[in-house]
């Protein structure tokens, strides 16, 4: 396994992609709105190109390719695929994206809207990964991994550098964890500056399970956030970081995810997808405890689900 | 007519309401995204409490009331009514809100969700105004006017002071104009700092008609933005400011409003209501001309329409 990237690698990614991605805004909520004692900031990353943070890692991966290929491949629950299609189009390259049958129609449409070719794979996320990987290897096409690849992780980490500029006083960052690419990137980018707390749905708890088992293990995944947080095995980098830090991973119930999503829509006119509401759900449900004087940044990571709650 | 308020009055409003309203974020778009040569900033005011800028004027009006009454009345296309209900609840007062039959169910629900009592008036906006005014006068209840009242205008103007802090380099501010409260507030707040350009739908062109006639005149209103920009007569303050400045009011076609609204959703995951998409539509359609080197702030003023385009 290659060594874990460092803050320097994330800074290099930021130099590479900063003209191509949006600097997404941060909005402060009022202390009494959520019924928690801390100051709460929302990092509105659903406003990013392609509707999620995945644009960061995808663009960093595409711009790091040397030589530049004519085609990139991606395996994805949907958001990473749209991001790779978008990033590839920026350098006039093609994108072939493998998605599972559970990918929402909205996400599949997004991939096509950015010019990507979609391959829907029946079966589990693992079978989708295997099919995409085999397809890319046969053709010698570089495959951009959605979370366990240094360029992806460092690209996602640019969200952390941006947040540190926008809200240097944030001492805790809450983030939903699927494959662990965004968590890893934030953890690396904010080393020594803020504590990064990954949170998982009860029904997509691959990091929680890995920490209990002492190594990444496959878990059953399902529920409302599976299309964005549903890899069955946590990425190696995320696992190693979490184990080294000795953290626990709070789990969030389905109804708490949906309640947080409703709150975001009704009180903020922010239409987040369920997976992007998990971090806020952890705060609102009390799964994560905060204290008076804390400043907590909550990453609202994507908005590619158009159903108004 | 009372004299037009000044920047000092808007600053006083900001002191009065700043702990109660959200500081809504500004997001920069990339130059090539809209196909216009200028730098474009979106002021995301739909993230405000109650889903529109109306919270500012309503809270300023409520907190300016002396003595504090037990009940406030409001006449409204919907957003102002929700804002008055929200603001009244903050001081434990009641709100009676008169809305026209064209008010969307979403807006009526919002008023009730904040504890307001809704009175739906069949007939025109003008009939709704008359009914609400008569009801309030009979009972001695103070009526908060949606645009032609100093406390309302100065509250809306706080958006301009905030924008001047967030983006002092903005030299042009585009804003949709209905009754003219937000336009007036911005124009007063940004005096000497930025040019404020009101924009109207072709089908809600009361300011355009007033400038042509030399005085406020009633116009037929309709179309997709009528529930937010549909007063039949422009407010006196807005008219006087526009006439003094000698400005023209660009008009935007229905299909351009809907196209801007779709673009905001598809490319930014911002779900604005049609009336809040008019300013961007003016920019995208070329109804407003900008030049290289300009920094243009576009106010996205509300999001109380849940239909995903």
């Amino acid at each position: 396994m290659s060594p874990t990237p460092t803050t320097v690698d994330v800074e290099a990614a930021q130099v590479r992609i900063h003209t191509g991605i949006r600097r997404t805004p941060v909005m402060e909520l009022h202390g009494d709105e959520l019924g928690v004692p801390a100051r709460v900031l929302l990092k509105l990353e659903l406003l990013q190109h392609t509707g999620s943070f995945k644009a960061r890692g995808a663009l960093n991966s595409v711009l790091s390719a040397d030589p530049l290929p004519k085609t990139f491949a991606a395996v994805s629950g949907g958001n990473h695929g749209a991001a790779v299609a978008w990033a590839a189009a920026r350098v006039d390259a093609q994108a072939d994206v493998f998605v599972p049958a559970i990918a929402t129609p909205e996400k599949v449409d997004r991939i096509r809207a950015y010019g990507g070719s979609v391959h829907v794979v029946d079966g589990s996320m693992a079978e989708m990964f295997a099919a995409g990987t085999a397809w890319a290897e046969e053709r010698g096409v570089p495959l951009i991994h959605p979370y366990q690849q240094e360029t992806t992780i460092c690209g996602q980490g640019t969200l952390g550098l941006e947040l540190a500029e926008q809200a240097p006083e944030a001492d805790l960052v809450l983030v939903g964890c699927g494959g662990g690419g965004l968590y890893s990137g934030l953890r690396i980018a904010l080393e020594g500056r803020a504590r990064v707390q990954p949170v998982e749905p009860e029904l997509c708890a691959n990091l929680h399970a890995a920490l209990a088992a002492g190594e990444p293990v496959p878990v059953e995944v399902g529920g409302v956030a599976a299309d964005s947080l549903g890899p069955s095995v946590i990425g190696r980098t995320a696992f190693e970081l979490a184990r080294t830090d000795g953290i626990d991973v709070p789990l969030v119930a389905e109804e708490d995810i949906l309640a947080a999503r409703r709150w975001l829509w009704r009180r903020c006119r922010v239409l987040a997808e369920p997976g992007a509401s998990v971090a806020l759900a952890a705060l609102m449900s009390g799964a994560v405890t905060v204290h008076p004087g804390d400043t907590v940044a909550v990453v609202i990571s994507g908005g590619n689900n158009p159903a108004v709650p």
Side-chain angles (χ1 to χ4, degrees), chain A:
Chain A
M1 176 196 169
S2 57
T4 300
T6 68
T7 309
V8 172
D9 301 309
V10 180
E11 287 167 351
Q14 194 178 37
V15 169
R16 200 173 288 120
I17 70 173
H18 81 278
T19 60
I21 57 156
R22 291 191 183 131
R23 184 180 174 89
T24 57
V26 168
M27 183 168 79
E28 180 171 357
L29 299 178
H30 287 118
D32 56 347
E33 290 190 71
L34 291 172
V36 299
R39 184 167 166 241
V40 179
L41 309 173
L42 301 182
K43 173 67 170 165
L44 296 172
E45 185 67 9
L46 80 167
L47 303 175
Q48 188 53 263
H49 287 297
T50 76
S52 89
F53 70 93
K54 295 283 192 180
R56 298 174 184 267
L59 186 59
N60 190 45
S61 297
V62 163
L63 296 182
S64 298
D66 181 23
L68 192 65
K70 288 185 179 164
T71 303
F72 290 92
V75 288
S76 172
N79 279 341
H80 172 66
V84 168
W86 168 81
R90 290 181 62 92
V91 297
D92 295 321
Q94 301 297 310
D96 279 88
V97 180
F98 290 75
V99 299
I102 63 160
T104 62
E106 172 70 14
K107 289 185 179 179
V108 170
D109 288 348
R110 283 228 126 182
I111 297 167
R112 294 201 175 108
Y114 289 114
S117 300
V118 177
H119 307 249
V120 180
V121 180
D122 277 336
S124 67
M125 283 279 219
E127 288 167 295
M128 178 271 291
F129 267 75
T133 305
W135 184 95
E137 280 181 0
E138 267 173 34
R139 287 159 184 79
V141 169
L143 181 134
I144 303 179
H145 196 282
Y147 49 89
Q148 192 48 55
Q149 176 168 323
E150 179 166 330
T151 52
T152 301
I153 290 171
C154 291
Q156 320 307 28
T158 64
L159 190 157
L161 297 183
E162 205 173 276
L163 184 59
E165 291 166 18
Q166 294 169 310
E169 70 280 20
D171 33 39
L172 174 63
V173 179
L174 300 182
V175 60
C177 182
L182 179 55
Y183 158 59
S184 299
L186 291 173
R187 168 64 185 73
I188 294 163
L190 294 170
E191 171 87 48
R193 293 200 261 193
R195 193 158 60 88
V196 178
Q197 175 65 63
V199 176
E200 296 184 303
E202 286 177 352
L203 301 185
C204 293
N206 62 20
L207 178 55
H208 183 86
L211 292 171
E215 62 179 339
V217 289
V219 298
E220 294 267 331
V221 292
V224 295
D227 68 316
S228 45
L229 303 182
S232 62
V233 186
I234 187 72
R236 172 62 64 174
T237 302
F239 168 70
E240 296 290 357
L241 289 166
R243 184 169 66 170
T244 303
D245 289 347
I247 62 170
D248 289 324
V249 180
L251 301 182
V252 183
E254 295 289 289
E255 59 267 29
D256 290 332
I257 297 171
L258 295 174
R261 183 167 186 263
R262 271 196 306 275
W263 190 91
L264 280 169
W265 170 247
R266 293 188 185 165
R267 297 300 175 185
C268 299
R269 284 300 185 244
V270 166
L271 193 47
E273 57 187 280
S277 310
V278 169
L280 184 65
L283 188 62
M284 291 176 71
S285 68
V288 167
T289 307
V290 292
H291 305 284
D294 288 350
T295 297
V296 184
V298 180
V299 181
I300 309 297
S301 52
N304 291 325
N305 184 328
V308 172

